[in-house]
mmCIF file of all heavy atoms in Angstrom:
data_model
loop_
_atom_site.group_PDB
_atom_site.id
_atom_site.type_symbol
_atom_site.label_atom_id
_atom_site.label_comp_id
_atom_site.label_asym_id
_atom_site.label_seq_id
_atom_site.Cartn_x
_atom_site.Cartn_y
_atom_site.Cartn_z
ATOM 1 N N LEU A 1416 30.663 -22.335 -7.828
ATOM 2 C CA LEU A 1416 30.191 -22.826 -6.531
ATOM 3 C C LEU A 1416 31.124 -22.351 -5.433
ATOM 4 O O LEU A 1416 30.673 -21.951 -4.372
ATOM 5 C CB LEU A 1416 30.077 -24.370 -6.555
ATOM 6 C CG LEU A 1416 29.520 -25.031 -5.285
ATOM 7 C CD1 LEU A 1416 28.154 -24.430 -4.875
ATOM 8 C CD2 LEU A 1416 29.381 -26.531 -5.466
ATOM 9 N N ASP A 1417 32.422 -22.374 -5.708
ATOM 10 C CA ASP A 1417 33.393 -21.876 -4.724
ATOM 11 C C ASP A 1417 33.099 -20.402 -4.412
ATOM 12 O O ASP A 1417 33.177 -20.010 -3.245
ATOM 13 C CB ASP A 1417 34.838 -21.995 -5.263
ATOM 14 C CG ASP A 1417 35.281 -23.463 -5.219
ATOM 15 O OD1 ASP A 1417 34.604 -24.267 -4.552
ATOM 16 O OD2 ASP A 1417 36.312 -23.759 -5.833
ATOM 17 N N LEU A 1418 32.799 -19.623 -5.444
ATOM 18 C CA LEU A 1418 32.518 -18.197 -5.222
ATOM 19 C C LEU A 1418 31.251 -18.017 -4.373
ATOM 20 O O LEU A 1418 31.185 -17.181 -3.455
ATOM 21 C CB LEU A 1418 32.338 -17.494 -6.568
ATOM 22 C CG LEU A 1418 32.107 -15.975 -6.547
ATOM 23 C CD1 LEU A 1418 33.224 -15.236 -5.838
ATOM 24 C CD2 LEU A 1418 31.917 -15.440 -7.960
ATOM 25 N N CYS A 1419 30.242 -18.855 -4.651
ATOM 26 C CA CYS A 1419 28.995 -18.790 -3.854
ATOM 27 C C CYS A 1419 29.324 -19.094 -2.388
ATOM 28 O O CYS A 1419 28.793 -18.410 -1.464
ATOM 29 C CB CYS A 1419 27.952 -19.784 -4.361
ATOM 30 S SG CYS A 1419 27.218 -19.353 -5.929
ATOM 31 N N ILE A 1420 30.150 -20.040 -2.124
ATOM 32 C CA ILE A 1420 30.489 -20.445 -0.775
ATOM 33 C C ILE A 1420 31.292 -19.310 -0.125
ATOM 34 O O ILE A 1420 31.026 -18.910 1.022
ATOM 35 C CB ILE A 1420 31.271 -21.783 -0.769
ATOM 36 C CG1 ILE A 1420 30.334 -22.901 -1.207
ATOM 37 C CG2 ILE A 1420 31.858 -22.068 0.608
ATOM 38 C CD1 ILE A 1420 31.028 -24.206 -1.579
ATOM 39 N N LYS A 1421 32.255 -18.776 -0.875
ATOM 40 C CA LYS A 1421 33.114 -17.690 -0.350
ATOM 41 C C LYS A 1421 32.242 -16.455 0.033
ATOM 42 O O LYS A 1421 32.510 -15.807 1.049
ATOM 43 C CB LYS A 1421 34.120 -17.301 -1.414
ATOM 44 C CG LYS A 1421 35.167 -16.313 -0.964
ATOM 45 C CD LYS A 1421 36.186 -16.064 -2.094
ATOM 46 C CE LYS A 1421 36.570 -14.613 -2.084
ATOM 47 N NZ LYS A 1421 37.064 -14.132 -3.361
ATOM 48 N N LEU A 1422 31.181 -16.204 -0.773
ATOM 49 C CA LEU A 1422 30.325 -15.040 -0.476
ATOM 50 C C LEU A 1422 29.194 -15.367 0.490
ATOM 51 O O LEU A 1422 28.314 -14.531 0.715
ATOM 52 C CB LEU A 1422 29.744 -14.496 -1.782
ATOM 53 C CG LEU A 1422 30.741 -13.895 -2.775
ATOM 54 C CD1 LEU A 1422 30.097 -13.562 -4.092
ATOM 55 C CD2 LEU A 1422 31.423 -12.609 -2.198
ATOM 56 N N SER A 1423 29.202 -16.624 1.024
ATOM 57 C CA SER A 1423 28.136 -17.041 1.974
ATOM 58 C C SER A 1423 26.747 -16.919 1.415
ATOM 59 O O SER A 1423 25.799 -16.434 2.068
ATOM 60 C CB SER A 1423 28.226 -16.261 3.297
ATOM 61 O OG SER A 1423 29.473 -16.349 3.846
ATOM 62 N N ILE A 1424 26.589 -17.335 0.131
ATOM 63 C CA ILE A 1424 25.290 -17.272 -0.507
ATOM 64 C C ILE A 1424 24.365 -18.282 0.155
ATOM 65 O O ILE A 1424 24.747 -19.455 0.408
ATOM 66 C CB ILE A 1424 25.445 -17.589 -2.011
ATOM 67 C CG1 ILE A 1424 26.301 -16.559 -2.738
ATOM 68 C CG2 ILE A 1424 24.040 -17.699 -2.679
ATOM 69 C CD1 ILE A 1424 25.791 -15.136 -2.719
ATOM 70 N N ASP A 1425 23.116 -17.838 0.448
ATOM 71 C CA ASP A 1425 22.136 -18.726 1.088
ATOM 72 C C ASP A 1425 21.145 -19.320 0.030
ATOM 73 O O ASP A 1425 20.671 -20.460 0.200
ATOM 74 C CB ASP A 1425 21.309 -17.922 2.075
ATOM 75 C CG ASP A 1425 22.137 -17.335 3.186
ATOM 76 O OD1 ASP A 1425 22.800 -18.100 3.876
ATOM 77 O OD2 ASP A 1425 22.088 -16.104 3.320
ATOM 78 N N TRP A 1426 20.750 -18.542 -0.956
ATOM 79 C CA TRP A 1426 19.774 -18.970 -1.931
ATOM 80 C C TRP A 1426 20.253 -18.598 -3.332
ATOM 81 O O TRP A 1426 20.921 -17.544 -3.483
ATOM 82 C CB TRP A 1426 18.397 -18.273 -1.732
ATOM 83 C CG TRP A 1426 17.691 -18.702 -0.491
ATOM 84 C CD1 TRP A 1426 18.004 -18.423 0.814
ATOM 85 C CD2 TRP A 1426 16.430 -19.454 -0.447
ATOM 86 N NE1 TRP A 1426 17.085 -18.968 1.642
ATOM 87 C CE2 TRP A 1426 16.087 -19.582 0.901
ATOM 88 C CE3 TRP A 1426 15.622 -19.992 -1.438
ATOM 89 C CZ2 TRP A 1426 14.947 -20.281 1.319
ATOM 90 C CZ3 TRP A 1426 14.462 -20.678 -1.028
ATOM 91 C CH2 TRP A 1426 14.145 -20.833 0.330
ATOM 92 N N VAL A 1427 19.852 -19.359 -4.347
ATOM 93 C CA VAL A 1427 20.187 -19.027 -5.740
ATOM 94 C C VAL A 1427 18.834 -18.811 -6.480
ATOM 95 O O VAL A 1427 17.898 -19.642 -6.382
ATOM 96 C CB VAL A 1427 20.974 -20.170 -6.403
ATOM 97 C CG1 VAL A 1427 21.201 -19.886 -7.881
ATOM 98 C CG2 VAL A 1427 22.301 -20.379 -5.669
ATOM 99 N N VAL A 1428 18.763 -17.711 -7.214
ATOM 100 C CA VAL A 1428 17.563 -17.415 -8.029
ATOM 101 C C VAL A 1428 17.997 -17.451 -9.486
ATOM 102 O O VAL A 1428 18.879 -16.730 -9.907
ATOM 103 C CB VAL A 1428 16.990 -16.045 -7.614
ATOM 104 C CG1 VAL A 1428 15.779 -15.734 -8.510
ATOM 105 C CG2 VAL A 1428 16.591 -16.033 -6.165
ATOM 106 N N LEU A 1429 17.314 -18.255 -10.258
ATOM 107 C CA LEU A 1429 17.529 -18.326 -11.712
ATOM 108 C C LEU A 1429 16.523 -17.406 -12.390
ATOM 109 O O LEU A 1429 15.325 -17.555 -12.251
ATOM 110 C CB LEU A 1429 17.338 -19.739 -12.225
ATOM 111 C CG LEU A 1429 18.023 -20.864 -11.465
ATOM 112 C CD1 LEU A 1429 17.776 -22.218 -12.181
ATOM 113 C CD2 LEU A 1429 19.535 -20.596 -11.331
ATOM 114 N N ALA A 1430 17.070 -16.349 -13.048
ATOM 115 C CA ALA A 1430 16.198 -15.359 -13.690
ATOM 116 C C ALA A 1430 16.565 -15.275 -15.165
ATOM 117 O O ALA A 1430 17.378 -14.496 -15.589
ATOM 118 C CB ALA A 1430 16.407 -13.993 -13.014
ATOM 119 N N GLY A 1431 15.982 -16.232 -15.932
ATOM 120 C CA GLY A 1431 16.341 -16.357 -17.324
ATOM 121 C C GLY A 1431 17.673 -17.025 -17.508
ATOM 122 O O GLY A 1431 18.494 -16.625 -18.317
ATOM 123 N N PHE A 1432 17.910 -18.091 -16.692
ATOM 124 C CA PHE A 1432 19.148 -18.836 -16.809
ATOM 125 C C PHE A 1432 18.846 -20.160 -17.572
ATOM 126 O O PHE A 1432 17.970 -20.907 -17.180
ATOM 127 C CB PHE A 1432 19.693 -19.168 -15.400
ATOM 128 C CG PHE A 1432 21.033 -19.793 -15.380
ATOM 129 C CD1 PHE A 1432 22.137 -19.067 -15.870
ATOM 130 C CD2 PHE A 1432 21.228 -21.077 -14.897
ATOM 131 C CE1 PHE A 1432 23.396 -19.624 -15.851
ATOM 132 C CE2 PHE A 1432 22.505 -21.664 -14.907
ATOM 133 C CZ PHE A 1432 23.579 -20.903 -15.382
ATOM 134 N N LEU A 1433 19.578 -20.358 -18.668
ATOM 135 C CA LEU A 1433 19.186 -21.399 -19.629
ATOM 136 C C LEU A 1433 19.936 -22.738 -19.408
ATOM 137 O O LEU A 1433 19.711 -23.662 -20.164
ATOM 138 C CB LEU A 1433 19.413 -20.912 -21.047
ATOM 139 C CG LEU A 1433 18.575 -19.712 -21.431
ATOM 140 C CD1 LEU A 1433 18.849 -19.283 -22.872
ATOM 141 C CD2 LEU A 1433 17.092 -19.995 -21.249
ATOM 142 N N LYS A 1434 20.814 -22.831 -18.414
ATOM 143 C CA LYS A 1434 21.607 -24.048 -18.258
ATOM 144 C C LYS A 1434 20.979 -24.913 -17.182
ATOM 145 O O LYS A 1434 20.319 -24.420 -16.254
ATOM 146 C CB LYS A 1434 23.021 -23.700 -17.827
ATOM 147 C CG LYS A 1434 23.650 -22.612 -18.644
ATOM 148 C CD LYS A 1434 23.980 -23.011 -20.005
ATOM 149 C CE LYS A 1434 24.736 -21.934 -20.736
ATOM 150 N NZ LYS A 1434 24.987 -22.295 -22.150
ATOM 151 N N LEU A 1435 21.249 -26.231 -17.281
ATOM 152 C CA LEU A 1435 20.757 -27.166 -16.284
ATOM 153 C C LEU A 1435 21.666 -27.053 -15.012
ATOM 154 O O LEU A 1435 22.850 -27.048 -15.134
ATOM 155 C CB LEU A 1435 20.842 -28.576 -16.840
ATOM 156 C CG LEU A 1435 19.906 -29.644 -16.192
ATOM 157 C CD1 LEU A 1435 18.441 -29.221 -16.271
ATOM 158 C CD2 LEU A 1435 20.106 -30.984 -16.878
ATOM 159 N N ILE A 1436 21.015 -26.984 -13.868
ATOM 160 C CA ILE A 1436 21.752 -26.834 -12.615
ATOM 161 C C ILE A 1436 22.343 -28.201 -12.179
ATOM 162 O O ILE A 1436 21.610 -29.202 -12.083
ATOM 163 C CB ILE A 1436 20.827 -26.310 -11.487
ATOM 164 C CG1 ILE A 1436 20.409 -24.862 -11.836
ATOM 165 C CG2 ILE A 1436 21.484 -26.339 -10.131
ATOM 166 C CD1 ILE A 1436 21.550 -23.833 -11.936
ATOM 167 N N PRO A 1437 23.660 -28.268 -11.945
ATOM 168 C CA PRO A 1437 24.286 -29.575 -11.632
ATOM 169 C C PRO A 1437 24.036 -29.996 -10.223
ATOM 170 O O PRO A 1437 23.680 -29.199 -9.315
ATOM 171 C CB PRO A 1437 25.778 -29.313 -11.874
ATOM 172 C CG PRO A 1437 25.963 -27.840 -11.814
ATOM 173 C CD PRO A 1437 24.644 -27.186 -12.120
ATOM 174 N N GLU A 1438 24.214 -31.304 -9.987
ATOM 175 C CA GLU A 1438 24.002 -31.924 -8.698
ATOM 176 C C GLU A 1438 24.754 -31.222 -7.600
ATOM 177 O O GLU A 1438 24.301 -31.078 -6.447
ATOM 178 C CB GLU A 1438 24.378 -33.406 -8.778
ATOM 179 C CG GLU A 1438 24.039 -34.237 -7.593
ATOM 180 C CD GLU A 1438 22.564 -34.107 -7.140
ATOM 181 O OE1 GLU A 1438 21.658 -34.121 -8.028
ATOM 182 O OE2 GLU A 1438 22.353 -33.948 -5.922
ATOM 183 N N SER A 1439 25.997 -30.745 -7.883
ATOM 184 C CA SER A 1439 26.818 -30.096 -6.855
ATOM 185 C C SER A 1439 26.095 -28.902 -6.252
ATOM 186 O O SER A 1439 26.120 -28.649 -5.067
ATOM 187 C CB SER A 1439 28.177 -29.671 -7.442
ATOM 188 O OG SER A 1439 27.994 -28.902 -8.575
ATOM 189 N N PHE A 1440 25.393 -28.107 -7.097
ATOM 190 C CA PHE A 1440 24.652 -26.931 -6.600
ATOM 191 C C PHE A 1440 23.420 -27.381 -5.863
ATOM 192 O O PHE A 1440 23.052 -26.823 -4.817
ATOM 193 C CB PHE A 1440 24.279 -26.012 -7.775
ATOM 194 C CG PHE A 1440 25.345 -25.119 -8.257
ATOM 195 C CD1 PHE A 1440 26.380 -25.610 -9.047
ATOM 196 C CD2 PHE A 1440 25.387 -23.777 -7.875
ATOM 197 C CE1 PHE A 1440 27.428 -24.808 -9.453
ATOM 198 C CE2 PHE A 1440 26.436 -22.958 -8.323
ATOM 199 C CZ PHE A 1440 27.468 -23.462 -9.101
ATOM 200 N N LEU A 1441 22.701 -28.389 -6.409
ATOM 201 C CA LEU A 1441 21.481 -28.879 -5.728
ATOM 202 C C LEU A 1441 21.784 -29.385 -4.349
ATOM 203 O O LEU A 1441 21.031 -29.186 -3.419
ATOM 204 C CB LEU A 1441 20.824 -29.967 -6.608
ATOM 205 C CG LEU A 1441 20.301 -29.532 -7.965
ATOM 206 C CD1 LEU A 1441 19.868 -30.748 -8.776
ATOM 207 C CD2 LEU A 1441 19.152 -28.583 -7.852
ATOM 208 N N ALA A 1442 22.921 -30.054 -4.224
ATOM 209 C CA ALA A 1442 23.317 -30.605 -2.919
ATOM 210 C C ALA A 1442 23.715 -29.513 -1.956
ATOM 211 O O ALA A 1442 23.410 -29.608 -0.754
ATOM 212 C CB ALA A 1442 24.482 -31.607 -3.099
ATOM 213 N N HIS A 1443 24.358 -28.463 -2.459
ATOM 214 C CA HIS A 1443 24.796 -27.384 -1.566
ATOM 215 C C HIS A 1443 23.612 -26.475 -1.202
ATOM 216 O O HIS A 1443 23.596 -25.861 -0.105
ATOM 217 C CB HIS A 1443 25.876 -26.558 -2.201
ATOM 218 C CG HIS A 1443 26.528 -25.633 -1.277
ATOM 219 N ND1 HIS A 1443 27.538 -26.044 -0.400
ATOM 220 C CD2 HIS A 1443 26.295 -24.312 -0.971
ATOM 221 C CE1 HIS A 1443 27.871 -25.009 0.395
ATOM 222 N NE2 HIS A 1443 27.182 -23.961 0.030
ATOM 223 N N PHE A 1444 22.629 -26.359 -2.088
ATOM 224 C CA PHE A 1444 21.460 -25.471 -1.806
ATOM 225 C C PHE A 1444 20.148 -26.285 -1.879
ATOM 226 O O PHE A 1444 19.338 -26.082 -2.762
ATOM 227 C CB PHE A 1444 21.405 -24.338 -2.877
ATOM 228 C CG PHE A 1444 22.588 -23.433 -2.847
ATOM 229 C CD1 PHE A 1444 23.589 -23.516 -3.820
ATOM 230 C CD2 PHE A 1444 22.690 -22.449 -1.900
ATOM 231 C CE1 PHE A 1444 24.699 -22.668 -3.808
ATOM 232 C CE2 PHE A 1444 23.785 -21.590 -1.874
ATOM 233 C CZ PHE A 1444 24.775 -21.687 -2.834
ATOM 234 N N PRO A 1445 19.952 -27.184 -0.943
ATOM 235 C CA PRO A 1445 18.780 -28.042 -1.007
ATOM 236 C C PRO A 1445 17.484 -27.210 -0.827
ATOM 237 O O PRO A 1445 17.361 -26.507 0.146
ATOM 238 C CB PRO A 1445 18.930 -29.061 0.133
ATOM 239 C CG PRO A 1445 19.922 -28.420 1.057
ATOM 240 C CD PRO A 1445 20.788 -27.494 0.228
#
Side-chain angles (χ1 to χ4, degrees):
L1416 184 54
D1417 286 347
L1418 182 59
C1419 288
I1420 293 166
K1421 188 176 141 205
L1422 294 173
S1423 305
I1424 298 298
D1425 300 300
W1426 290 70
V1427 175
V1428 177
L1429 311 183
F1432 188 63
L1433 298 179
K1434 315 289 185 183
L1435 202 58
I1436 293 298
E1438 188 53 44
S1439 55
F1440 280 77
L1441 296 171
H1443 191 82
F1444 297 103

